[in-house]
Amino acid sequence: MMAAARLIARDEWRYWQRSKLLRAAAVLSLILLVSAIAVTYDRVQAQAAQRSELQAAAETAFTTQPDRHPHRMVHYGHYVFRAPPPLAVIDPGVDRVTGTALFLEGHRQNSAAFPPAHADARSGALGHLTPAFVYQIILPLLLVLMAHGALTREREGGTGIALVSSGVSASTLWAGKALALLSAVGLLLVPLLLVSLGAALAGESLPLVGVYFLAYALYLSIWALGTLALSAAVTRSAVSLALALGAWALVTLVLPPTTSSLVRATLPTASRLADDVALAQELRSLGDGHNENDPAFSRLRANLLEEYEVERVEDLPVNFRGVVAQSAEADLTELMNRYADQRHAYEQRQARRLSTFGLLSPQLALRQFSRVGAGTDLATHHRFLQEGEAARFALVQQLNGLHANELRYTDDINRSRNAAAERRSRISAHHWRDLESFHFEVASAPARLASAAPSLLALILWGALTAFASLTVTRRSYG
C-alpha cells in the first residue's frame, strides 16, 4: 500500500511542477513568506534593542538628577518599557497596536504609549506583513490551489477509476494524495522551523516552541485535508475550486471581523472616555494631596497628633505634608485600579467569548493559540499595565516616604521664601539611586500553554475532522 501511495504522491508532485499557475503561486507565496520573516525579524530585533537602550537611558536620567524636593521627583516621573518576546518574530499579536512604554508619575495612570504600528505605517504594506499572517492567510490559499483538483482531476480524466480497477484501493489513493499534500506542508514549514529554532536560541522554552510549530503544522494540514475532502466530494475541478475558495474567504476574511463585531455587540464595554469622566467625578470626592489643610485629611491629622502626643503638626517627628501625600496617593491608586480592573475584566470577557469561535474556524483557533503562545496576547498586555502600575505606586510612595521622613515640615512650608530656604527643601540626590530596575517577562511556558490549551484542542478536533472526512468521502467516491 505504501509503495503505491508513494507513486501516487510522486505523480501529484510532477503535476504541480508542470502547472504554471501553481509554480507562480508557490514563488509568490515564498517571496511573501521570506519578506515577512525578514521584515518582522529585523523590526522585532530593532525594537528589542531600542527599548533596552531607552530603559537604560530612562534609569540613568532619573538616578542622575541633582538634589531636589522629593515631590518634584514624583512629577519628574520615569519611563518603563516592554521588550518583545522571542516568538514575536513570528506573531507580534496585539503588541503592534498596544503601547509598549509607560510613563510613571504621581497621581496618574497613563496609557501605554508608542505602539509599533505607528512606526510600521512608514514601512508601507510590508509593515503589516508578518509570518503569522502569511501562514494563517496566504499559505492556506496556496494549498487550496494545490489540493482542489487532486481527486476531481483523476475523475475527470478517468484515471481514478482505472487506478481502482487495477487494484489500488480508495484508501491507497487517498493516502497518496494526502502524502503529497502533507509533504508540501512540510516544505512550507521549513522557514517557520528555522525561525522557531531562532526563538528557542533567543531564550524561548524549547517545548513551547515545539508545540507552537506543531500547531501551525496542524493548521496547514487541516487546509490540505479539508480541500482534499472537497475534491473527493464533487466531480468537477471548477466546482471544487469554487467551494474551496469560498471556504477560504469565509474562514480567513469574513469570520474574523464578523465574530469580533458580534462579540462587541453582545458584550459592549464603556468607552475609555466615559470611564475617564466617571473616574474624574469620583476623584473629586478624594482629598487634594497637595493641600495638607484639605478637610479630607482632618482625621489623619488628628490621629497623628494623638499618636505622637503633640499639639501642632510642626512638632511631629514626620513631615505632615509627606504623610498626606502618601495617604492621598494610596486612596487615588485604589480608585484608579478599580476602574482599570473593571476595564480589563470586560476586555478579557470579550477575548474569552471570541476564543469560543475557534470551534467554528481553525484560523480563529490558531490566531488565539499563536498570540497566547508567543506572549503577545491581550492578557500579557494587561499584565504589563498592572506590573507597570505596581512599579509606579512603589516609586511614588518611596518618594513620598522620603518627603515624610527626610524633609522637615518647617523647611517644606517655607521653601518659597528665598533661595536658601529653597535649598533646605531639597534632599540628597543619592536617594534617586535607590530606583529599582523594571523588567517585564511574559508568563511562563507552562502557563501560556495552559491558557492556549482550548485553542489547541479546537485545532486538534479540526484536524481529526478533516482527516476523517477526506478519507471517508474518498472511500465512498472511489470504493
Side-chain angles (χ1 to χ4, degrees), residues 73-399:
M73 293 302 289
V74 167
H75 287 284
Y76 180 81
H78 177 51
Y79 271 104
V80 293
F81 295 84
R82 176 161 66 101
L87 281 175
V89 297
I90 296 174
D91 192 349
V94 302
D95 288 3
R96 290 186 60 256
V97 294
T98 59
T100 54
L102 281 173
F103 179 58
L104 313 182
E105 61 176 328
H107 327 320
R108 291 179 61 84
Q109 278 184 359
N110 294 306
S111 301
F114 310 129
H118 288 176
D120 293 348
R122 294 193 295 269
S123 304
L126 279 180
H128 303 283
L129 196 62
T130 66
F133 176 83
V134 175
Y135 274 102
Q136 293 176 23
I137 308 296
I138 303 299
L139 295 189
L141 180 58
L142 175 62
L143 289 170
V144 163
L145 295 176
M146 295 174 72
H148 78 278
L151 289 170
T152 53
R153 194 176 60 253
E154 303 289 357
R155 184 174 292 176
E156 290 170 334
T159 52
I161 301 300
L163 282 171
V164 173
S165 301
S166 64
V168 175
S169 68
S171 297
T172 302
L173 180 61
W174 174 86
K177 299 295 183 180
L179 180 61
L181 288 168
L182 294 181
S183 61
V185 167
L187 285 178
L188 294 175
L189 288 167
V190 169
L192 181 69
L193 176 63
L194 297 176
V195 179
S196 299
L197 291 175
L201 292 174
E204 187 55 274
S205 160
L206 188 57
L208 185 144
V209 167
V211 176
Y212 199 80
F213 174 79
L214 290 176
Y216 272 90
L218 181 56
Y219 175 71
L220 293 185
S221 300
I222 289 169
W223 278 102
L225 297 178
T227 309
L228 185 61
L230 282 176
S231 181
V234 299
T235 57
R236 298 182 58 185
S237 296
V239 176
S240 175
L241 178 60
L243 290 174
L245 287 177
W248 173 81
L250 177 67
V251 169
T252 61
L253 304 180
V254 176
L255 277 179
T258 302
T259 52
S260 296
S261 299
L262 183 61
V263 168
R264 283 197 298 270
T266 54
L267 287 175
T269 61
S271 69
R272 181 60 186 263
L273 178 60
D275 268 356
D276 288 346
V277 170
L279 175 61
Q281 290 174 341
E282 286 204 47
L283 285 176
R284 296 194 185 105
S285 65
L286 302 179
D288 179 4
H290 295 95
N291 179 14
E292 72 273 23
N293 294 317
D294 191 305
F297 306 113
S298 298
R299 180 176 294 276
L300 177 65
R301 177 196 299 263
N303 290 340
L304 280 174
L305 294 176
E306 180 180 357
E307 178 183 353
Y308 290 103
E309 298 179 347
V310 294
E311 298 293 331
R312 306 179 309 155
V313 293
E314 288 85 348
D315 298 326
L316 288 171
V318 293
N319 184 341
F320 183 60
R321 283 186 164 185
V323 176
V324 166
Q326 284 180 309
S327 176
E329 192 67 36
D331 293 340
L332 181 67
T333 300
E334 182 181 358
L335 178 61
M336 292 190 297
N337 282 345
R338 177 157 58 84
Y339 274 83
D341 291 344
Q342 288 175 354
R343 188 165 54 254
H344 293 170
Y346 277 124
E347 291 173 354
Q348 283 300 324
R349 284 179 62 197
Q350 288 183 331
R352 285 194 296 273
R353 177 72 62 85
L354 187 60
S355 67
T356 61
F357 287 100
L359 293 172
L360 299 178
S361 162
Q363 193 271 336
L364 289 175
L366 179 67
R367 187 179 70 176
Q368 178 69 8
F369 174 86
S370 180
R371 291 177 175 179
V372 174
T376 56
D377 60 324
L378 182 64
T380 302
H381 173 64
H382 284 168
R383 201 160 61 78
F384 169 65
L385 296 180
Q386 290 161 354
E387 292 189 14
E389 168 56 22
R392 183 201 72 83
F393 183 65
L395 171 66
V396 172
Q397 291 300 69
Q398 180 183 355
L399 293 169

